Amino acid sequence: MVRTGRRPVGRAVLAACLVVGALVACTGTPPDADRARRGAADAGDPYVPGRGNGGYDVAAYRLRVRYDPADDRLTGHATITATATAGLSRFNLDLSGLTVGAVRVDGAKAGHAREGEELVVTPARGLARGARFTVDVEYAGVPQPVESSTLGLGGFLATADGAVALGQPDSASTWYPVNDHPSDKATYDVEVTVPDGLAALGNGVPVGRTSAGGWTTWRWAERSPMASYLSTLVIGDYRVTTGTHQGKPMVTAVAASLPADGPAAASLARTGEVADFLADRFGPYPFESYGGIALAEGRISYALETQSRPVYGPGFFRSGRPDTGVVAHELAHQWFGDSVSLARWSDIWLNEGFATYA
Ligand SMILES: [Zn+2]
């Protein structure tokens, strides 16, 4: 992440981490005997109490969501494939707001309840340690942003022409049920259905687009394990450029309200060149696709290294000149932060240290 502005980046990030560290206190976790049956309600990371869960390890998310900017309403169906790391009679997912309709575990109807930003799932039958299982969650509602005076507005933000789901450390749980901690990375297949004429951009490789009845479904696949905070969804009126670089898909998108020959477009156009420069120093580019997304939404005051496709707030390009520094920072995170990733948020300084150096 980089905040907009010309302050030294390292100082801004350090300040953010210090404030986060000061605000939170270590929370207790259930005793081991209890955890054996009930998955823990957080990952035990004192920087983000309540975030993540225990008792299972997610392998894959399949998300099918529909979003209508006319009423900001999102409907979703998440299929989560995971392995129980303990015997479980119940387990938690993180989900902020939204209304859950039905939950199934291995195809059988499961009990579900909300406890704050936790979705507690009780399968019809307990899960044995080591069991591979799938959870289907149907949900709907108006997703909400996450306010943070230090790290910047994130979560799910409705914009004039669509929406942006973005933010560190919180964003994923505002639009899908998730084990929301970077220690549990997973692959993603995402289908996003939006009104015809709007783009719906995500992480990874574009795997097709179809239209029917006035709606267009955009499909994305991220096959390299990804931390949940690195997932993004950007919906709106964008100029999307699709090509290849080093034999892999390259997808860049610039908000249509920004000039086609302006500094944002010029900066993103150098993505391949900057990635190659970094690959010469750090080793092969770690993912199956390249890209970047330039927002016009002024409430996003930062750029974030969302996997394979960083998202850039408009502040970096207001000077009228291209900013390849921020492109280098976010692309360096593809190696340091995204591929090599956090087990605990207290190590975020390593991500930011390498990216700032780059
Ligand atoms: Zn950064």
Side-chain angles (χ1 to χ4, degrees):
M1 170 185 270
V2 184
R3 297 288 310 271
T4 306
R6 299 288 79 175
R7 281 181 301 158
V9 170
R11 200 172 129 207
V13 169
L14 180 62
C17 293
L18 286 173
V19 171
V20 170
L23 284 177
V24 303
C26 293
T27 53
T29 49
D32 286 346
D34 189 33
R35 293 176 79 151
R37 288 184 55 75
R38 178 182 176 173
D42 77 13
D45 186 335
Y47 272 41
V48 286
R51 290 292 160 191
N53 304 283
Y56 62 89
D57 177 27
V58 177
Y61 293 92
R62 183 174 180 219
L63 308 176
R64 283 161 280 178
V65 303
R66 172 185 291 243
Y67 182 73
D68 189 351
D71 60 5
D72 298 338
R73 187 172 167 82
L74 180 143
T75 56
H77 182 158
T79 302
I80 301 166
T81 305
T83 299
T85 56
L88 292 173
S89 59
R90 55 187 278 192
F91 59 89
N92 286 26
L93 291 161
D94 300 303
L95 183 65
S96 176
L98 305 174
T99 300
V100 173
V103 179
R104 293 188 300 281
V105 175
D106 291 334
K109 188 178 176 194
H112 60 91
R114 303 300 294 274
E115 293 178 1
E117 296 187 345
E118 302 284 326
L119 169 62
V120 183
V121 177
T122 304
R125 300 178 58 185
L127 299 164
R129 180 177 180 170
R132 183 103 158 167
F133 63 99
T134 61
V135 190
D136 282 276
V137 181
E138 293 173 21
Y139 59 99
V142 176
Q144 297 296 317
V146 177
E147 302 276 358
S148 169
S149 59
T150 312
L151 298 173
L153 187 64
F156 195 100
L157 194 62
T159 62
D161 57 342
V164 177
L166 187 70
Q168 181 189 59
D170 293 320
S171 56
S173 64
T174 62
W175 64 284
Y176 61 92
V178 55
N179 191 16
D180 204 2
H181 191 273
S183 57
D184 190 1
K185 299 166 79 171
T187 62
Y188 284 71
D189 283 280
V190 181
E191 296 182 9
V192 189
T193 301
V194 295
D196 284 347
L198 295 183
L201 302 150
N203 306 86
V205 174
V207 286
R209 197 193 313 176
T210 53
S211 291
W215 296 79
T216 301
T217 299
W218 297 61
R219 296 180 179 84
W220 302 94
E222 178 51 69
R223 296 281 154 71
S224 301
M226 176 166 73
S228 53
Y229 81 97
L230 297 172
S231 66
T232 188
L233 176 59
V234 176
I235 296 167
D237 190 7
Y238 283 80
R239 281 191 299 273
V240 180
T241 304
T242 303
T244 59
H245 181 75
Q246 304 284 14
K248 298 176 178 181
M250 163 83 79
V251 180
T252 57
V254 177
S257 60
L258 298 174
D261 57 354
S267 302
L268 266 61
R270 297 187 67 184
T271 293
E273 176 192 353
V274 173
D276 290 349
F277 173 88
L278 296 172
D280 280 346
R281 276 116 188 118
F282 297 154
Y285 180 75
F287 301 123
E288 288 306 308
S289 64
Y290 297 88
I293 302 168
L295 306 177
E297 173 51 58
R299 290 173 293 169
I300 297 291
S301 58
Y302 54 90
L304 190 62
E305 59 270 24
T306 40
Q307 190 158 309
S308 75
R309 196 150 296 120
V311 175
Y312 303 92
F316 296 98
F317 311 113
R318 283 205 186 102
S319 71
R321 295 186 302 278
D323 186 342
T324 45
V326 69
V327 174
H329 182 110
E330 304 309 334
L331 291 179
H333 272 308
Q334 305 304 309
W335 284 261
F336 300 107
D338 293 14
S339 179
V340 178
S341 57
L342 297 171
R344 288 290 176 268
W345 280 105
S346 54
D347 291 326
I348 186 72
W349 68 277
L350 282 166
N351 297 12
E352 299 306 334
F354 279 112
T356 301
Y357 169 75

mmCIF file of all heavy atoms in Angstrom, residues 63 82 111 131-132 141 157 159 165 183 195 231 236 263 277 301 344 357:
data_model
loop_
_atom_site.group_PDB
_atom_site.id
_atom_site.type_symbol
_atom_site.label_atom_id
_atom_site.label_comp_id
_atom_site.label_asym_id
_atom_site.label_seq_id
_atom_site.Cartn_x
_atom_site.Cartn_y
_atom_site.Cartn_z
ATOM 1 N N LEU A 63 -16.749 -17.542 -6.268
ATOM 2 C CA LEU A 63 -17.696 -16.474 -5.940
ATOM 3 C C LEU A 63 -18.502 -16.118 -7.181
ATOM 4 O O LEU A 63 -17.932 -15.880 -8.252
ATOM 5 C CB LEU A 63 -16.944 -15.233 -5.443
ATOM 6 C CG LEU A 63 -15.939 -15.459 -4.314
ATOM 7 C CD1 LEU A 63 -15.205 -14.158 -4.008
ATOM 8 C CD2 LEU A 63 -16.639 -15.992 -3.067
ATOM 9 N N ALA A 82 -12.534 -26.348 1.657
ATOM 10 C CA ALA A 82 -11.584 -26.242 2.771
ATOM 11 C C ALA A 82 -11.292 -27.621 3.347
ATOM 12 O O ALA A 82 -11.981 -28.603 3.027
ATOM 13 C CB ALA A 82 -12.165 -25.336 3.861
ATOM 14 N N GLY A 111 -26.946 -25.315 9.799
ATOM 15 C CA GLY A 111 -27.400 -24.206 10.618
ATOM 16 C C GLY A 111 -26.471 -23.014 10.455
ATOM 17 O O GLY A 111 -25.279 -23.178 10.183
ATOM 18 N N ALA A 131 -10.771 -33.769 7.100
ATOM 19 C CA ALA A 131 -11.829 -33.900 6.084
ATOM 20 C C ALA A 131 -11.827 -32.709 5.145
ATOM 21 O O ALA A 131 -11.725 -31.562 5.578
ATOM 22 C CB ALA A 131 -13.184 -34.037 6.769
ATOM 23 N N ARG A 132 -11.951 -32.983 3.858
ATOM 24 C CA ARG A 132 -12.133 -31.937 2.858
ATOM 25 C C ARG A 132 -13.632 -31.666 2.773
ATOM 26 O O ARG A 132 -14.416 -32.615 2.710
ATOM 27 C CB ARG A 132 -11.612 -32.453 1.523
ATOM 28 C CG ARG A 132 -11.668 -31.431 0.412
ATOM 29 C CD ARG A 132 -10.292 -30.879 0.170
ATOM 30 N NE ARG A 132 -10.169 -30.299 -1.173
ATOM 31 C CZ ARG A 132 -9.143 -29.549 -1.513
ATOM 32 N NH1 ARG A 132 -8.190 -29.286 -0.654
ATOM 33 N NH2 ARG A 132 -9.064 -29.044 -2.729
ATOM 34 N N GLY A 141 -27.538 -8.156 -0.023
ATOM 35 C CA GLY A 141 -27.661 -6.935 0.765
ATOM 36 C C GLY A 141 -26.914 -5.797 0.110
ATOM 37 O O GLY A 141 -26.443 -5.904 -1.024
ATOM 38 N N LEU A 157 -17.214 0.152 -1.492
ATOM 39 C CA LEU A 157 -17.569 1.560 -1.662
ATOM 40 C C LEU A 157 -18.386 1.721 -2.931
ATOM 41 O O LEU A 157 -17.900 1.447 -4.037
ATOM 42 C CB LEU A 157 -16.269 2.356 -1.760
ATOM 43 C CG LEU A 157 -16.304 3.852 -1.614
ATOM 44 C CD1 LEU A 157 -16.811 4.247 -0.233
ATOM 45 C CD2 LEU A 157 -14.893 4.399 -1.822
ATOM 46 N N THR A 159 -19.722 3.783 -5.873
ATOM 47 C CA THR A 159 -19.216 4.978 -6.552
ATOM 48 C C THR A 159 -20.293 5.513 -7.497
ATOM 49 O O THR A 159 -21.357 4.914 -7.636
ATOM 50 C CB THR A 159 -17.946 4.636 -7.356
ATOM 51 O OG1 THR A 159 -18.284 3.674 -8.366
ATOM 52 C CG2 THR A 159 -16.870 4.050 -6.451
ATOM 53 N N ALA A 165 -14.307 -2.557 -4.263
ATOM 54 C CA ALA A 165 -14.028 -3.332 -3.050
ATOM 55 C C ALA A 165 -12.518 -3.410 -2.909
ATOM 56 O O ALA A 165 -11.836 -3.985 -3.755
ATOM 57 C CB ALA A 165 -14.630 -4.728 -3.137
ATOM 58 N N SER A 183 -2.942 -15.402 6.596
ATOM 59 C CA SER A 183 -2.322 -16.707 6.867
ATOM 60 C C SER A 183 -3.069 -17.843 6.174
ATOM 61 O O SER A 183 -2.554 -18.957 6.111
ATOM 62 C CB SER A 183 -2.273 -16.961 8.378
ATOM 63 O OG SER A 183 -3.583 -16.898 8.933
ATOM 64 N N PRO A 195 -24.721 -4.597 -15.016
ATOM 65 C CA PRO A 195 -25.464 -4.138 -16.188
ATOM 66 C C PRO A 195 -24.543 -3.988 -17.406
ATOM 67 O O PRO A 195 -23.382 -3.584 -17.277
ATOM 68 C CB PRO A 195 -26.021 -2.774 -15.743
ATOM 69 C CG PRO A 195 -26.111 -2.876 -14.258
ATOM 70 C CD PRO A 195 -24.930 -3.708 -13.845
ATOM 71 N N SER A 231 -7.653 -9.468 -2.638
ATOM 72 C CA SER A 231 -8.720 -9.598 -3.642
ATOM 73 C C SER A 231 -9.381 -8.231 -3.827
ATOM 74 O O SER A 231 -9.461 -7.435 -2.895
ATOM 75 C CB SER A 231 -9.750 -10.639 -3.206
ATOM 76 O OG SER A 231 -10.447 -10.230 -2.041
ATOM 77 N N GLY A 236 -17.525 -0.394 -12.967
ATOM 78 C CA GLY A 236 -17.806 0.962 -13.417
ATOM 79 C C GLY A 236 -17.512 1.151 -14.891
ATOM 80 O O GLY A 236 -17.339 0.190 -15.644
ATOM 81 N N PRO A 263 -1.968 11.196 -17.266
ATOM 82 C CA PRO A 263 -0.882 10.583 -16.485
ATOM 83 C C PRO A 263 -1.221 9.203 -15.918
ATOM 84 O O PRO A 263 -0.323 8.355 -15.790
ATOM 85 C CB PRO A 263 -0.643 11.594 -15.362
ATOM 86 C CG PRO A 263 -1.878 12.435 -15.305
ATOM 87 C CD PRO A 263 -2.430 12.467 -16.690
ATOM 88 N N PHE A 277 11.753 -4.962 -15.153
ATOM 89 C CA PHE A 277 12.890 -4.396 -14.403
ATOM 90 C C PHE A 277 13.004 -5.088 -13.037
ATOM 91 O O PHE A 277 14.076 -5.503 -12.610
ATOM 92 C CB PHE A 277 12.676 -2.888 -14.228
ATOM 93 C CG PHE A 277 13.691 -2.218 -13.341
ATOM 94 C CD1 PHE A 277 14.883 -1.721 -13.855
ATOM 95 C CD2 PHE A 277 13.455 -2.083 -11.967
ATOM 96 C CE1 PHE A 277 15.822 -1.104 -13.035
ATOM 97 C CE2 PHE A 277 14.394 -1.465 -11.142
ATOM 98 C CZ PHE A 277 15.573 -0.975 -11.681
ATOM 99 N N SER A 301 -7.691 7.063 -1.153
ATOM 100 C CA SER A 301 -6.522 7.937 -1.022
ATOM 101 C C SER A 301 -5.221 7.140 -1.002
ATOM 102 O O SER A 301 -4.239 7.571 -0.425
ATOM 103 C CB SER A 301 -6.646 8.750 0.266
ATOM 104 O OG SER A 301 -6.750 7.865 1.374
ATOM 105 N N ARG A 344 1.524 -13.021 9.991
ATOM 106 C CA ARG A 344 1.012 -12.125 11.028
ATOM 107 C C ARG A 344 1.191 -10.688 10.546
ATOM 108 O O ARG A 344 2.215 -10.358 9.943
ATOM 109 C CB ARG A 344 1.784 -12.326 12.345
ATOM 110 C CG ARG A 344 1.446 -13.629 13.048
ATOM 111 C CD ARG A 344 0.036 -13.597 13.613
ATOM 112 N NE ARG A 344 -0.382 -14.864 14.228
ATOM 113 C CZ ARG A 344 -1.025 -15.833 13.592
ATOM 114 N NH1 ARG A 344 -1.305 -15.722 12.303
ATOM 115 N NH2 ARG A 344 -1.387 -16.925 14.210
ATOM 116 N N TYR A 357 11.852 0.234 -1.010
ATOM 117 C CA TYR A 357 13.185 0.150 -1.602
ATOM 118 C C TYR A 357 13.089 0.068 -3.116
ATOM 119 O O TYR A 357 13.805 0.762 -3.847
ATOM 120 C CB TYR A 357 13.922 -1.078 -1.049
ATOM 121 C CG TYR A 357 15.181 -1.415 -1.778
ATOM 122 C CD1 TYR A 357 16.336 -0.652 -1.598
ATOM 123 C CD2 TYR A 357 15.228 -2.500 -2.669
ATOM 124 C CE1 TYR A 357 17.503 -0.960 -2.299
ATOM 125 C CE2 TYR A 357 16.373 -2.804 -3.362
ATOM 126 C CZ TYR A 357 17.514 -2.041 -3.175
ATOM 127 O OH TYR A 357 18.658 -2.343 -3.864
#
